[in-house]
Amino acid sequence: MKYSVFAAALLSATAAYADTPELTVYTYDSFVSDWGPGPLVEEAFEAQCGCDLKLVGAGDGAALLARIKLEGARSDADVVLGLDTNLTAAAKDTGLFAEHGVSAEYDLPVAWDDAIFAPYDWGYFAFVHNADATVPTNFKALGASDMKIVIQDPRSSTPGLGLLMWVKAAYGDEAPAIWADLADNVVTVTKGWSEAYGLFLDGEADMALSYTTSPAYHLIAEEDASKAAAAFDEGHYMQVEVAGVLAGSDQPELARDFMQFMVGEEFQSVIPTTNWMYPSVTPAGGLPAGFETLITPAKSLLLSAEDAAALRDGALDEWLDALSQ
């Protein structure tokens, strides 16, 4: 009798689990790390959705789009989180994304009106260095210096692609000359951000391509003020990170629920101290203490999604040509 009751309970639990909807979100590796937003986001969304949220790390940001293109309409993903405005035009051209239906009052430095992609955070690219070092204040001075830098591959990494757009936005047709001068400063090119920043922290380079917000991590999480972001006088390129719903999702309503949750208080409040970026909607409590110490770029640079898409291949060729010499 006891075994019958146990078996019935087990069957009931199994059936309930089978009825639990599953939402799959492709994102970048650092998002799903133990120290990233993923664990907190998963716990908070599952508490309200009655679903199983699967956050799948798929490399760095630019690698996400490549995977979605490869999988096409048969992808298991319902949502892609981790593209940015340098990739959204190409992502739209795939025809694989649907309208998100998100409603939000964004706190972004730029106007936002995109029915396909919704922003969840933003920041500025910068070279991070040890605070006691004397560092260049623009790309020309960096190229003329003996500073060693580590950067990311623009074919797999959104920071890497952002660096190409930064140089292009700041220097236009002079970009090939800038890259020619920078080539001997580059120690190595990594697939993603985590690898590059880790090499810098290990002392393998003087500077790493990262964000103006990166020193906040060391200051807040480690009580370490030894890192700083170099202020470049030609301006800093902005990154707006976005998410989108796949048209082939078998959970379209749940996917849109997640998108709306993404711009809400529970998601946005964890962004500053887990993803170490500015939230797209400022939480009720504001930004954490320590963010006020970060540099504010004298000039913001951002190409439109269409211009970034048009320039991407040419900028990549310029970069490859310079680094292959």
Side-chain angles (χ1 to χ4, degrees), residues 162-185:
L163 179 58
L164 294 194
M165 297 299 106
W166 186 2
V167 172
K168 205 68 178 173
Y171 290 99
D173 292 341
E174 286 187 73
I178 296 295
W179 279 115
D181 288 341
L182 288 173
D184 61 357
N185 298 92

Side-chain angles (χ1 to χ4, degrees), residues 85 92 100 102 104 106 108 110-119 306:
T85 54
K92 287 178 184 177
H100 55 67
V102 170
Y106 296 116
L108 297 170
V110 293
W112 193 268
D113 182 20
D114 191 326
I116 303 297
F117 293 104
E306 294 73 24

Side-chain angles (χ1 to χ4, degrees), residues 221-247:
E222 301 179 333
E223 298 183 350
D224 175 6
S226 68
K227 303 295 182 289
F232 274 22
D233 51 32
E234 65 265 85
H236 289 251
Y237 196 83
M238 185 186 306
Q239 180 182 48
V240 182
E241 293 194 295
V242 303
V245 176
L246 286 174

Side-chain angles (χ1 to χ4, degrees), residues 283-322:
L287 295 173
F291 269 66
E292 77 283 355
T293 67
L294 303 175
I295 65 167
T296 301
K299 183 179 180 182
S300 298
L301 304 173
L302 182 65
L303 297 169
S304 71
E306 294 73 24
D307 286 346
L311 290 169
R312 180 179 182 273
D313 288 347
L316 180 60
D317 287 342
E318 292 168 357
W319 177 82
L320 286 169
D321 183 62

Side-chain angles (χ1 to χ4, degrees), residues 99-189:
E99 293 192 4
H100 55 67
V102 170
S103 176
E105 294 290 332
Y106 296 116
D107 296 310
L108 297 170
V110 293
W112 193 268
D113 182 20
D114 191 326
I116 303 297
F117 293 104
Y120 62 91
D121 70 14
W122 65 278
Y124 293 102
F125 294 116
F127 285 94
V128 174
H129 59 91
N130 291 320
D132 58 359
T134 300
V135 298
T137 58
N138 55 59
F139 280 108
K140 289 184 176 181
L142 177 57
S145 75
D146 59 0
M147 300 291 287
K148 297 304 180 185
I149 62 174
V150 59
I151 62 175
Q152 300 86 17
D153 193 324
R155 295 164 294 188
S156 57
S157 166
T158 50
L161 181 56
L163 179 58
L164 294 194
M165 297 299 106
W166 186 2
V167 172
K168 205 68 178 173
Y171 290 99
D173 292 341
E174 286 187 73
I178 296 295
W179 279 115
D181 288 341
L182 288 173
D184 61 357
N185 298 92
V186 177
V187 174
T188 191
V189 177

Side-chain angles (χ1 to χ4, degrees), residues 249-261:
S249 169
D250 58 4
Q251 297 287 347
E253 290 187 20
L254 191 57
R256 288 181 175 84
D257 287 346
F258 177 82
M259 294 288 290
Q260 190 62 49
F261 166 82

